[in-house]
Amino acid sequence: MGEKQSIRRYPATSNNPPGTMLQCTYKAIQQASHTYAVLLSQIDWMWGAEMGANQCGVVIGNEAIWTHEPIQSEKEPALLGMDLVRLGLERGDTAEKAMTVITKLLEEHGQGGACTEDDPSFTYHNSFLIADSTEAWVLETADRHWAAEQIVTGSRNISNNLTIREKIDKCSSNLKEHAKQQGYWDGKSAFDFADCYSDDGSLTDGRQVCGEKLLRTHENKSSLDHKAMIDILRDHKSSICMHGAFETTASMVSELPRGNQEFARHWLTGKPYPCKSEFLLQVDPWYGEK
């Protein structure tokens, strides 16, 4: 189910007049007064992107997940998770602010719509990995409900399952009450987001577990750099690099500025199969956007 992706840059905008509308993939929303320049790995037919970075050093990627909550009807145009990736990058100058952009738009407009060009039945909810040079957030959603976990040390990965358990640093206002009303939670035991909202009760995803082990192996050796990340993305045993009916459509690795490093560096394939695709370094993609 691979779809072509391209590496694309979009410039910053400013002084957008009040009332300006922005057409996303399926739905038009109010445009922000200004936006940041973005670098995207963008599926060719949609407005949004599966992953990208902005001029402020924020990076975001998303994954498909399935939950107890129904997918929003096609009769009600909504935002794709990929639209939310791009909107977070265009409007957030820190990881936390980008996450706030995404959650507010999610609550206002909902998420839904066909996620492939040729199969309108393929729809899903979304999880996001959002980071800047000082912190990261894992944001996981179930329709308009959401939970977020802040990451300040170590490593963290996401895949096609809910991973946030009892450590919830931010969430939608009625997350627990809704779970109680729907019978997902008894209201007495510790609230476990993944356990309550996962649609099949499965909390284990082979790629997520294997990815976590690979990250920890490099972390323990202090060898987790962009080359190690590329090796992880090329791993077949874990199915992180997938071939077949479902394939890894494109890949991206980012090194965010720390210490004396002035710019973030980003390596993107823009092609499927990271095992045999070149990771292209994007050198100072924000030239002229200072």
Side-chain angles (χ1 to χ4, degrees):
M1 191 174 277
E3 294 182 299
K4 185 179 179 183
Q5 294 194 24
S6 300
I7 302 169
R8 295 176 179 164
R9 297 176 176 84
Y10 294 93
T13 66
S14 60
N15 301 316
N16 296 317
T20 300
M21 299 303 291
L22 172 68
Q23 180 62 53
C24 300
T25 303
Y26 298 122
K27 182 168 186 170
I29 66 171
Q30 191 87 20
Q31 175 62 297
S33 60
H34 70 277
T35 63
Y36 300 108
V38 296
L39 170 71
L40 304 177
S41 184
Q42 186 177 30
I43 296 175
D44 288 353
W45 63 270
M46 69 174 57
W47 182 84
E50 287 194 336
M51 51 200 161
N54 72 15
Q55 69 184 85
C56 306
V58 178
V59 293
I60 307 178
N62 85 312
E63 284 277 8
I65 54 174
W66 289 267
T67 74
H68 284 311
E69 294 299 297
I71 303 294
Q72 190 161 325
S73 169
E74 292 179 12
K75 296 178 182 178
E76 304 174 58
L79 297 172
L80 287 177
M82 287 67 78
D83 293 338
L84 291 168
V85 168
R86 181 170 173 179
L87 289 163
L89 291 169
E90 288 189 340
R91 302 182 182 194
D93 61 358
T94 69
E96 185 171 7
K97 288 180 181 178
M99 183 185 70
T100 299
V101 167
I102 291 172
T103 55
K104 285 185 175 180
L105 290 170
L106 175 72
E107 291 180 352
E108 181 179 358
H109 300 286
Q111 59 180 320
C115 298
T116 62
E117 188 175 22
D118 56 2
D119 183 1
S121 68
F122 188 64
T123 60
Y124 48 75
H125 292 150
N126 293 267
S127 65
F128 304 87
L129 189 57
I130 309 167
D132 59 28
S133 61
T134 60
E135 66 175 356
W137 290 84
V138 172
L139 170 63
E140 297 180 341
T141 70
D143 193 27
R144 300 186 191 221
H145 309 283
W146 57 273
E149 179 183 351
Q150 184 183 30
I151 314 298
V152 293
T153 60
S155 59
R156 187 70 153 79
N157 65 316
I158 59 174
S159 189
N160 298 120
N161 61 313
L162 296 177
T163 63
I164 296 175
R165 308 301 298 263
E166 295 177 21
K167 183 183 181 297
I168 299 173
D169 295 300
K170 292 190 175 187
C171 65
S172 48
S173 59
N174 64 338
L175 182 71
K176 293 182 180 180
E177 184 60 30
H178 180 75
K180 189 175 178 181
Q181 290 174 353
Q182 297 299 313
Y184 308 155
W185 179 49
D186 61 14
K188 299 176 183 178
S189 57
F191 181 77
D192 182 320
F193 175 68
D195 186 53
C196 289
Y197 279 90
S198 293
D199 80 334
D200 60 359
S202 173
L203 300 177
T204 303
D205 178 282
R207 285 183 297 125
Q208 195 271 331
V209 172
C210 289
E212 183 178 357
K213 290 179 180 178
L214 290 168
L215 285 169
R216 286 183 177 173
T217 297
H218 284 287
E219 202 178 329
N220 293 336
K221 296 178 181 178
S222 299
S223 58
L224 191 56
D225 57 13
H226 76 276
K227 293 180 181 178
M229 287 300 301
I230 290 173
D231 287 342
I232 290 172
L233 292 174
R234 286 173 167 166
D235 189 79
H236 289 114
K237 184 181 287 188
S238 64
S239 293
I240 291 173
C241 180
M242 290 192 297
H243 299 248
F246 284 87
E247 63 185 36
T248 304
T249 53
S251 301
M252 175 177 174
V253 172
S254 294
E255 187 177 80
L256 302 180
R258 284 187 139 174
N260 295 326
Q261 183 180 331
E262 185 176 357
F263 300 109
R265 297 194 294 171
H266 309 284
W267 292 261
L268 292 88
T269 62
K271 298 178 181 179
Y273 312 128
C275 62
K276 57 185 180 182
S277 295
E278 182 181 2
F279 281 74
L280 303 172
L281 174 61
Q282 308 300 302
V283 180
D284 193 9
W286 320 123
Y287 181 77
E289 300 286 352
K290 305 295 185 282

